[in-house]
């Protein structure tokens, strides 16, 4: 271990990061395919909808963080990390399917294709989300060999995705539409809605890799900061990106009166806050030294992402 704080030149290049993400996404897609295919009693219509949503080209960022985090602490991707990566991708995908429903954000496009309720119907989309959410916890219970690791992974995922995490954020996000939220309230919403899932991903990878409590805590802090940057970038892209580029409807936040960073502090200040948060994310990695370079590359790339 080293207490040296790496400089920008120590981080992986954008090309390294992109190649790393492609490699991780292949592992995640294969694991997701195996896990769903091995559940032979899923009815054909539901299976079709599950595969439709899971096979769509999501970026797999949260799942990749699980794998990078495990690789960093253990020197390899442990089987438990593959299961954990698939589980968090299932929970994330469920949240997108439900978020797109008419009762929530009412969207037609997701991951570059018609949303689940448009391609199928609303009851199927509700049940697809329910199925992905429950399957995530079943695979962790069934496939993680060490029961203590399985319980810790289940607890972490439930905490960050549940009523004190993503669901709290979604609830507050809906309640804040067309209100004048302060920066503090906005940060709280983004922390819960988005950042905690990133923190959970980083912590789950660490748990799967056998990290100690101090390492897990640093990775949780890294994930929180990174997740906030990811959401600020999302808010900025909603203003500056196109629907084709994003694979989802651009410009919706303003139409729906969403509380976002650009709406509250403007585009320039949003970018400054994202840069500052990225620095804080990098700082949380200092205890890992050079081994954290892939996560540093990820943090640098998320700051400048275009989709
Ligand atoms: C419905 C319980 C429930 C929660 C919904 C995820 C979410 C909470 C809402 C979706 C809308 C939104 C802007 C959420 C913030 C998190 C976010 C930016 C999600 C999109 O994640 P990406 O860009 O998506 O990683 P892909 O498709 O690449 O996986």
């Amino acid at each position: 271990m080293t207490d040296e704080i790496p400089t920008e030149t120590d981080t992986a290049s954008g090309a390294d990061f992109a190649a790393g993400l492609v490699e991780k996404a292949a592992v995640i897609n294969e694991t997701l395919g195996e896990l769903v295919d091995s559940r032979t009693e899923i009815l054909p219509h539901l299976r079709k909808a599950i595969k439709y949503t899971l096979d769509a080209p999501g970026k797999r960022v949260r799942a990749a963080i699980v794998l990078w985090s495990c690789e960093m602490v253990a020197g390899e991707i442990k089987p438990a990390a593959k299961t954990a990566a698939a589980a968090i991708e299932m929970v994330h995908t469920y949240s997108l399917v439900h978020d797109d429903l008419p009762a929530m954000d009412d969207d037609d496009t997701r991951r570059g294709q018609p949303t689940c309720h448009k391609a199928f119907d609303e009851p199927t989309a509700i049940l697809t989300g329910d199925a992905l959410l429950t399957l995530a916890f079943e695979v962790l219970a069934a496939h993680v060999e060490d029961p203590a690791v399985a319980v810790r992974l289940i607890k972490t995922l439930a905490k960050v995705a549940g009523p004190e995490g993503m669901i709290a954020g979604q609830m507050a996000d809906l309640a804040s539409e067309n209100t004048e939220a302060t920066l503090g309230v906005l940060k709280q919403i983004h922390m819960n809605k988005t950042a905690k899932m990133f923190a959970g991903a980083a912590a789950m990878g660490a748990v799967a890799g056998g990290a100690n409590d101090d390492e897990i805590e640093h990775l949780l802090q890294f994930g929180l900061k990174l997740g906030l940057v990811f959401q600020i970038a999302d808010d900025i892209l909603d203003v500056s990106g196109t629907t084709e580029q994003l694979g989802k409807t651009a410009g919706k936040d303003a139409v729906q009166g969403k509380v976002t960073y650009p709406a509250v502090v403007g585009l320039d200040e949003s970018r400054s806050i994202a840069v500052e948060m990225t620095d804080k994310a990098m700082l949380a990695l200092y205890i890992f030294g050079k081994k954290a370079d892939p996560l540093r590359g990820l943090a640098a790339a998320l700051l400048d992402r275009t989709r």
Side-chain angles (χ1 to χ4, degrees):
M1 287 219 287
T2 170
D3 57 4
E4 234 174 70
I5 299 172
T7 61
E8 221 177 290
T9 48
D10 291 330
T11 62
S13 74
D16 288 345
F17 162 74
L21 185 57
V22 168
E23 187 196 301
K24 296 290 179 279
V27 173
I28 294 152
N29 292 342
E30 194 187 343
T31 309
L32 284 168
E34 282 167 8
L35 289 170
V36 173
D37 291 349
S38 65
R39 270 59 189 175
T40 53
E41 289 177 38
I42 301 175
L43 293 176
H45 180 69
L46 184 58
R47 178 182 300 284
K48 201 171 161 197
I50 288 173
K51 288 190 91 69
Y52 175 83
T53 56
L54 272 185
D55 291 350
K59 294 183 286 296
R60 311 299 192 214
V61 173
R62 296 154 193 80
I65 292 171
V66 176
L67 301 184
W68 267 310
S69 174
C70 176
E71 211 166 27
M72 180 178 71
V73 300
E76 60 176 333
I77 297 172
K78 301 276 187 192
K82 287 192 194 176
T83 309
I88 203 163
E89 186 62 29
M90 286 177 192
V91 171
H92 166 61
T93 305
Y94 121 78
S95 79
L96 300 180
V97 171
H98 280 193
D99 183 67
D100 291 334
L101 286 167
M104 298 237 187
D105 265 11
D106 192 10
D107 222 321
D108 295 351
T109 308
R110 173 68 69 180
R111 293 178 166 172
Q113 62 182 29
T115 46
C116 189
H117 67 277
K118 286 284 170 191
F120 296 85
D121 52 38
E122 272 185 57
T124 304
I126 292 169
L127 293 173
T128 298
D130 293 343
L132 286 167
L133 176 60
T134 44
L135 186 58
F137 292 98
E138 192 251 316
V139 299
L140 286 172
H143 296 283
V144 175
E145 213 177 314
D146 181 338
V149 172
V151 168
R152 196 149 183 194
L153 292 172
I154 288 168
K155 206 170 149 188
T156 304
L157 186 54
K159 190 84 181 168
V160 297
E164 294 175 305
M166 185 173 64
I167 292 183
Q170 180 74 350
M171 198 76 234
D173 182 83
L174 293 172
S176 72
E177 280 179 16
N178 298 308
T179 65
E180 298 245 331
T182 60
L183 188 56
V185 169
L186 171 62
K187 188 173 172 189
Q188 195 56 32
I189 293 172
H190 281 16
M191 274 289 175
N192 281 323
K193 189 175 78 169
T194 309
K196 284 186 182 174
M197 284 286 278
F198 279 73
M204 287 169 82
V207 168
N212 64 36
D213 287 348
D214 186 43
E215 291 172 324
I216 293 170
E217 183 54 35
H218 275 82
L219 281 163
L220 271 172
Q221 290 308 321
F222 165 74
L224 278 180
K225 283 18 178 223
L226 186 75
L228 201 53
V229 174
F230 187 87
Q231 185 57 56
I232 297 171
D234 208 72
D235 288 356
I236 295 173
L237 284 170
D238 187 76
V239 177
S240 57
T242 64
T243 298
E244 294 67 40
Q245 174 192 347
L246 302 179
K248 61 181 180 179
T249 315
K252 269 199 85 185
D253 288 346
V255 174
Q256 290 185 316
K258 289 275 184 201
V259 178
T260 64
Y261 272 78
V264 174
V265 296
L267 271 174
D268 288 346
E269 182 60 12
S270 300
R271 287 200 183 95
S272 310
I273 296 173
V275 170
E276 190 192 320
M277 271 308 144
T278 303
D279 289 345
K280 288 188 176 163
M282 300 276 191
L283 208 55
L285 294 174
Y286 78 92
I287 65 161
F288 301 104
K290 288 288 288 175
K291 282 190 298 180
D293 276 357
L295 289 179
R296 290 189 188 100
L298 165 73
L302 289 192
L303 182 61
D304 294 326
R305 74 190 176 97
T306 54
R307 68 176 275 258

